[in-house]
Amino acid sequence: TAFPFSCFPPVLGRDPDLVLTAGPPLDSKTQRHDSQRPNKNLPEILFGKNDMGECVDYVLLDGLVPASPALDLISAETYSPPTTGPSRRLFYAAGGVLAVSLGAALGAALSSAYGHRHRKVDPFEAAHVRTDYSAIKSKYDLTLGAVDQWCLRGDDNNCRCEDPLKPMSKRSSRKWAEQHKENIKLAQATLMKILKSSDGGSYEDYFFPDYDDLWLEGTNDDWVWGEGSRFYEDDASFVPFVENYSSEEGFMEDDGYGDEGRGQQRRKAQEGTEGDYELDVVFVGDSITEQRQGTRKGEPLVDYTGIKEVFDRTFTKEKGGDYNGIALGIDGDTSPQLLWRLMNGEMPDGLDPKVWWVGIGINDLSIKGCSEEIVLLGIMRVVTEIRNRHPDDIVVINSILPVQRNEAGLLEHVGGHHEHIALTKKETDMDDGKMSSKRLHIDLWPSIVAINEELSKFASKHHGVKFFDADSVFTEERTDKKGVVRKYLKKYLMHDPVHPNLPGHKRWNNAIKKELAAILN
């Protein structure tokens, strides 16, 4: 509500859009100015000009709120601008310093984040295992407490890694179970041949009729003494996944090998003259080891037939080899799965070769996506289990073989001081169609180098453990016209990006023979 009081000459007020004026004292019939009215609950009257420059008198209805002393109306003659005290100046100065500090901190944070995202990270340095496990003495010293990350990509969730310290089976896979059964039969047949050639006792001293592997309840599925044991009959295999075993019901199946199948192979393994057989080496591992058996996932593969023949000629003395050896591998296995196999039949008591040759780890890395540290722990767990069961035998850890990632087979650039320089993104141009869809399509070479370095360090500190570096077989350095040195995978030795071919196995076997000669002599 506006009251028609006269307007007085303006004086400077706090609001630049409202020029406040002081009016004369009001009579008792009207409302008084704030400084004179006795009743502070009455509305406050302000006088001023509007936007048009017209003199207007206003009544403000917020009189219940005491006016700020800074809004007190004073005369033009006595008015002076408000001054800033020392405390207020200090406050403003502190605020300015704080603002500058916050701005600088924010700029530094943004710059650091940008630099972290765009800086060049050395893949070989990133793959390095920070914890030193080389001094562990037994499986009881291995622990997951110091693990930095589980997954190869730097986290703990985007991978399918099992606990590397615990055995893990794949019995849900029929092919895996059948191949595991065949490995057990080959190991047992070799053990029987050893026992016939020595005074080490009889077969019954190592296996007992009441042995039960606790696989299927109420079913005699044990491979040593049950229906699954077939040492002399080919084309007879027990299917352990049926409840009631009966030959009349058709559960005796053809294994697809005929007279020269695995039954014949096992029979030949048991043949020989007493006193002339010594087992020199047992190869255990994954698909690369199974290649030496001529199979993939338990099925004969034409491309692997020559690999098996070369292996037999190299590691069977009766066929002209320098040593006696057997191969126990299963396609796709990881370290925990190999550990389970060894603890469940493939490493029976009495099977004491002079050397256990371990080749495992590439599937943990390239299929499961495990970090270098997890892969390392899994391999070491396998080695410690063998050493615990066979303390007098020597364990050789084969290096993880290189994996092809581009068409040229380029693995790394070698600098002037022979430091590792990883491939660029443009150089990992391998056609995805040539790589298994189950494997990670990334450059694995820095990770392989890091794991092999730690395995070599571990072997150097333990008597009875050796490390065999196969890089000299499968890699080479080439110098281009500009003098740049690069390391390459020898593609002509590879069947695919992961598995060696027949020439590759030939050269590898020759290198293994030299290593065995150095170890055993």
Side-chain angles (χ1 to χ4, degrees):
T1 305
F3 293 85
F5 297 114
S6 58
C7 189
F8 284 79
V11 294
L12 182 64
R14 291 181 61 86
D15 191 337
D17 296 326
L18 179 63
V19 179
L20 302 180
T21 62
L26 303 178
D27 59 24
S28 60
K29 294 182 180 181
T30 61
Q31 301 164 345
R32 295 180 180 275
H33 183 266
D34 183 62
S35 63
Q36 299 179 4
R37 64 184 185 201
N39 188 350
K40 300 294 183 179
N41 293 328
L42 292 177
E44 178 185 0
I45 299 175
L46 297 178
F47 312 102
K49 290 184 179 182
N50 60 14
D51 295 337
M52 302 298 295
E54 300 173 341
C55 187
V56 180
D57 306 329
Y58 297 99
V59 175
L60 303 181
L61 300 180
D62 60 350
L64 296 179
V65 180
S68 169
L71 292 178
D72 285 345
L73 300 177
I74 55 178
S75 65
E77 291 78 4
T78 61
Y79 175 79
S80 61
T83 59
T84 302
S87 61
R88 187 174 295 273
R89 287 197 299 269
L90 180 62
F91 174 78
Y92 289 148
V97 173
L98 180 61
V100 173
S101 301
L102 289 176
L106 180 60
L110 293 175
S111 176
S112 176
Y114 179 87
H116 175 76
R117 183 174 182 180
H118 294 275
R119 73 175 185 267
K120 291 184 178 180
V121 178
D122 181 3
F124 290 95
E125 176 63 25
H128 179 68
V129 179
R130 300 296 187 267
T131 304
D132 186 3
Y133 295 98
S134 61
I136 67 110
K137 297 184 181 301
S138 72
K139 61 182 180 181
Y140 303 107
D141 297 330
L142 293 172
T143 177
L144 299 175
V147 170
D148 183 41
Q149 60 196 35
W150 278 69
C151 301
L152 187 61
R153 297 185 183 275
D155 61 353
D156 296 329
N157 301 315
N158 295 321
C159 58
R160 299 178 294 138
C161 296
E162 302 103 348
D163 186 332
L165 306 183
K166 293 183 179 180
M168 180 71 64
S169 76
K170 289 173 63 177
R171 292 182 298 182
S172 58
S173 168
R174 177 172 176 174
K175 290 184 178 181
W176 187 90
E178 289 181 348
Q179 178 65 12
H180 175 47
K181 181 172 64 175
E182 292 298 331
N183 286 347
I184 289 178
K185 292 176 181 179
L186 180 57
Q188 292 173 346
T190 304
L191 174 58
M192 293 174 67
K193 190 171 182 179
I194 294 173
L195 295 176
K196 288 172 61 178
S197 302
S198 66
D199 296 328
S202 65
Y203 185 80
E204 288 76 9
D205 293 335
Y206 295 91
F207 299 100
F208 304 92
D210 58 353
Y211 172 79
D212 187 2
D213 60 13
L214 301 178
W215 186 344
L216 297 178
E217 294 293 337
T219 303
N220 187 8
D221 63 318
D222 301 309
W223 296 314
V224 175
W225 291 93
E227 293 89 338
S229 179
R230 294 289 180 269
F231 296 112
Y232 299 96
E233 299 178 34
D234 193 27
D235 295 339
S237 61
F238 172 63
V239 181
F241 302 99
V242 297
E243 296 182 358
N244 299 312
Y245 177 82
S246 172
S247 59
E248 288 78 10
E249 296 181 16
F251 297 130
M252 302 290 288
E253 298 182 353
D254 191 331
D255 61 11
Y257 292 96
D259 294 337
E260 293 300 322
R262 295 188 180 183
Q264 183 73 6
Q265 176 184 346
R266 289 193 297 272
R267 285 195 292 273
K268 290 181 178 180
Q270 297 178 63
E271 296 173 355
T273 307
E274 292 187 11
D276 66 351
Y277 185 83
E278 285 185 315
L279 181 61
D280 296 302
V281 57
V282 173
F283 296 87
V284 294
D286 47 33
S287 57
I288 298 177
T289 304
E290 190 183 352
Q291 283 185 294
R292 296 170 168 136
Q293 299 166 268
T295 61
R296 180 183 180 185
K297 297 184 183 296
E299 299 294 333
L301 197 65
V302 175
D303 292 344
Y304 294 172
T305 301
I307 296 174
K308 180 183 182 304
E309 292 175 352
V310 168
F311 177 80
D312 289 342
R313 289 198 302 267
T314 306
F315 296 101
T316 304
K317 290 183 178 180
E318 295 178 356
K319 297 183 178 181
D322 296 327
Y323 303 99
N324 282 324
I326 60 173
L328 306 173
I330 297 184
D331 179 86
D333 263 10
T334 61
S335 296
Q337 289 153 6
L338 173 58
L339 178 63
W340 190 93
R341 287 161 42 200
L342 295 175
M343 298 174 67
N344 290 271
E346 293 191 29
M347 188 171 62
D349 293 338
L351 187 69
D352 287 309
K354 299 173 183 177
V355 175
W356 293 86
W357 199 283
V358 178
I360 198 71
I362 187 59
N363 295 324
D364 306 67
L365 188 67
S366 66
I367 294 181
K368 297 294 185 178
C370 302
S371 68
E372 297 84 1
E373 192 169 4
I374 294 297
V375 177
L376 174 66
L377 288 172
I379 299 173
M380 294 174 64
R381 178 65 182 89
V382 170
V383 173
T384 56
E385 181 65 25
I386 297 175
R387 292 286 296 164
N388 182 60
R389 293 274 299 275
H390 301 273
D392 297 329
D393 299 346
I394 295 174
V395 178
V396 176
I397 308 172
N398 200 99
S399 64
I400 298 178
L401 301 186
V403 176
Q404 183 182 356
R405 191 58 189 90
N406 56 48
E407 297 295 340
L410 179 62
L411 296 174
E412 68 176 85
H413 304 277
V414 181
H417 300 285
H418 294 277
E419 68 269 16
H420 299 300
I421 303 177
L423 302 181
T424 63
K425 185 175 181 180
K426 293 181 179 180
E427 291 170 332
T428 56
D429 57 359
M430 186 82 174
D431 183 5
D432 288 347
K434 295 182 180 180
M435 300 187 69
S436 170
S437 59
K438 296 181 179 180
R439 300 186 186 274
L440 296 178
H441 292 193
I442 61 176
D443 182 17
L444 296 173
W445 181 242
S447 300
I448 292 174
V449 169
I451 296 169
N452 287 339
E453 287 177 350
E454 295 301 314
L455 291 173
S456 177
K457 185 192 304 183
F458 168 72
S460 67
K461 295 184 179 181
H462 293 80
H463 177 73
V465 180
K466 308 292 182 182
F467 177 77
F468 177 76
D469 190 354
D471 283 359
S472 60
V473 177
F474 293 99
T475 67
E476 63 182 355
E477 292 185 356
R478 306 176 196 165
T479 304
D480 61 15
K481 296 181 179 179
K482 297 181 180 181
V484 178
V485 181
R486 296 182 175 92
K487 179 172 287 188
Y488 288 86
L489 172 67
K490 299 176 182 178
K491 291 175 51 181
Y492 57 89
L493 299 181
M494 302 300 292
H495 174 73
D496 56 38
V498 176
H499 302 87
N501 57 17
L502 177 57
H505 273 278
K506 284 182 178 180
R507 296 196 181 191
W508 192 12
N509 289 341
N510 290 332
I512 291 174
K513 285 170 53 179
K514 293 180 180 179
E515 183 71 13
L516 287 175
I519 293 173
L520 299 180
N521 295 334

